[in-house]
Amino acid sequence: MNKATAVACSNIAFVKYWGKRDEALHLPLNSSLSMALSQATTTTTVAFDPGLAEDEIAIEGQAAPDPARLRVVRHLDRIRQMARVELRARVASRNSFPPDAGIASSASGFAALTLAATRAAGLDLSTRELSCLARLGSGSAARSIPGGFVEWHAGQDHESCCAEQIAAPQHWPELRDIVAVLEREPKSVGSTQGMALAQTSPHLTTRLAVIPGRLERAWQAILDRNLAALGEVSEEEAIELHLIAMSSRPPIYYWRPATLGLIHRVLAWRSEGLEVYFTIDAGPNVHLLCEEKDTGPIVAELEEMPEVQQIIVNAPGFRAHLCPEHLF
Ligand code: PMV
């Protein structure tokens, strides 16, 4: 087989990844914990083709511009080397969410690319091997290989730095992650650049010291399906990622006024008895964590807010898998 198609979910981290101990291998400073997002997927078809002189990469039907194209070519090169394949590839990729929704398409994108390209090249890798390999494309992609609730182990080296499922999506099917899109512009500072500055924050050492306790709490909260406990640790983590970013030199401000506005709304809703918590990635948009029964009232509130440009409601998503229909 020289053609394969895979689909993978993006993910949202409850305990975050912000800083690398090895830039080239994407080895993180700490382990992290996430959930796959059911409504934020990437589908990718890869075909190795003797008729091609160079890799042809299309994202949403358009030829990928540099530097995105170069990142994909470098990942294909890794896979060609592993499989001892010299052929160039045709790659087509589509996201279920708009590129400007502020959801990391690099996580679902590199997970889907890794699975599709390895299969098209004739390799049959384990989940663990796929996760390590996806990590080389984009760190957070390691967490988009297994489905449901996932821990990405910081590990010791390339082979041990992989993500593993800690609970299946069916373990907590009522959990929801509602993405409130507040701004559609690409973020001012990319995560690679932002993470490279993490070491300049005087607060990073404190953060790294408290992470093991947070991982333990988030793990237990997921096992117990305890939203209050998971929400508490997720909010601590989101604020701390931004604390590190804002105290880096030079500082990075990802929040917009509407970001803080929505944080205040979440606190107000909670004081009125609605069980909802927030988390925020390296950007201005806010993810709201709640259970299915509260999704209706929360979405209704968000729809009333003019600053909310789009709403995406996710349940715990599935593992990266092959699909029979190809994009070309
Ligand atoms: O997309 P990456 O692999 O550069 O990592 C982004 C990391 C955050 O999304 C900001 C946090 C996380 O743990 O997902």
Side-chain angles (χ1 to χ4, degrees), residues 132-278:
C132 290
L133 185 54
R135 191 197 76 233
L136 298 176
S138 181
S140 56
R143 296 191 309 238
S144 280
I145 293 289
F149 300 88
V150 170
E151 178 164 3
W152 172 17
H153 306 287
Q156 276 84 49
D157 50 17
H158 171 65
E159 283 76 25
S160 54
C161 187
C162 64
E164 235 176 355
Q165 184 178 80
I166 58 171
Q170 303 82 340
H171 167 73
W172 196 354
E174 305 84 10
L175 188 63
R176 293 291 177 272
D177 175 275
I178 306 175
V179 189
V181 179
L182 301 172
E183 196 177 273
R184 296 176 164 286
E185 263 107 77
K187 54 186 173 231
S188 47
V189 180
S191 55
T192 305
Q193 223 184 325
M195 283 190 211
L197 293 176
Q199 307 275 5
T200 66
S201 165
H203 305 293
L204 184 67
T205 336
T206 315
R207 166 164 175 70
L208 294 176
V210 299
I211 292 249
R214 294 231 180 97
L215 284 164
E216 189 64 40
R217 283 164 59 206
W219 222 83
Q220 199 56 50
I222 290 167
L223 294 188
D224 297 344
R225 293 186 282 264
N226 181 340
L227 180 59
L230 183 64
E232 189 181 78
V233 71
S234 299
E235 291 187 354
E236 287 172 24
E237 270 296 296
I239 296 301
E240 212 163 271
L241 185 157
H242 290 274
L243 165 81
I244 302 296
M246 290 188 221
S247 59
S248 292
R249 293 291 167 263
I252 313 166
Y253 302 108
Y254 287 115
W255 291 4
R256 307 300 302 169
T259 311
L260 192 55
L262 191 44
I263 291 175
H264 281 288
R265 293 296 292 268
V266 170
L267 299 181
W269 292 333
R270 212 149 70 214
S271 69
E272 291 159 13
L274 202 53
E275 225 198 333
V276 53
Y277 299 84
F278 66 82

Side-chain angles (χ1 to χ4, degrees), residues 31-63:
S31 299
S32 55
L33 221 146
S34 64
M35 176 181 103
L37 299 176
S38 66
Q39 300 307 308
T41 63
T42 302
T43 305
T44 301
T45 299
V46 178
F48 289 97
D49 183 342
L52 292 177
E54 56 181 43
D55 293 321
E56 276 182 22
I57 294 136
I59 301 174
E60 309 293 356
Q62 304 285 326

